[in-house]
């Protein structure tokens, strides 16, 4: 028999709610595989605790840089036509 758990409002939690057994939120991926999805300047969210365990010291949260908006004016190509009835 499973242990009965409760929701924040005090109601009994339904069986099967939440993450299924064996499901994971994280996966392992190689750097070359990851680079197929993003460039070298992309910001990738990682756990601060994991990064510190990997040996990083004084980690500062990188702020995304605002992309400059470039406006490209396209000239309209005019097409000559004649209506026939």
């Amino acid at each position: 028999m499973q242990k009965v758990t409760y929701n924040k409002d005090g109601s009994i939690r339904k069986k099967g709610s939440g993450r299924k057994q064996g499901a994971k939120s994280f996966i392992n991926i190689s750097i070359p595989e990851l680079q197929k999805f993003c460039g070298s300047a992309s910001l990738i969210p990682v756990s601060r605790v994991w990064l510190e365990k990997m040996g990083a010291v004084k980690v500062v949260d990188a702020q995304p840089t605002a992309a400059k908006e470039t406006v490209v004016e396209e000239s309209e190509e005019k097409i000559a036509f004649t209506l026939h009835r």
Side-chain angles (χ1 to χ4, degrees):
M1 186 171 165
Q2 271 190 341
K3 177 183 170 186
V4 176
T5 57
Y6 298 93
N7 293 316
K8 289 181 181 178
D9 65 0
S11 61
I12 296 176
R13 186 175 308 276
K14 292 181 183 177
K15 180 181 179 189
S17 65
R19 197 166 36 111
K20 302 295 180 208
Q21 184 176 358
K24 299 187 236 175
S25 299
F26 297 93
I27 62 164
N28 294 320
I29 186 169
S30 67
I31 296 294
E33 191 70 25
L34 185 61
Q35 285 177 330
K36 291 178 184 178
F37 300 102
C38 57
S40 62
S42 298
L43 294 177
I44 301 168
V46 296
S47 165
R48 180 187 51 79
V49 173
W50 172 82
L51 199 56
E52 288 172 353
K53 285 181 181 178
M54 298 301 292
V57 292
K58 295 187 179 182
V59 178
V60 179
D61 189 15
Q63 297 299 319
T65 56
K68 292 183 181 179
E69 185 176 320
T70 57
V71 177
V72 178
E73 290 186 31
E74 295 181 22
S75 62
E76 291 183 21
E77 185 178 327
K78 295 185 179 186
I79 302 172
F81 64 93
T82 307
L83 293 178
H84 299 280
R85 289 187 181 216

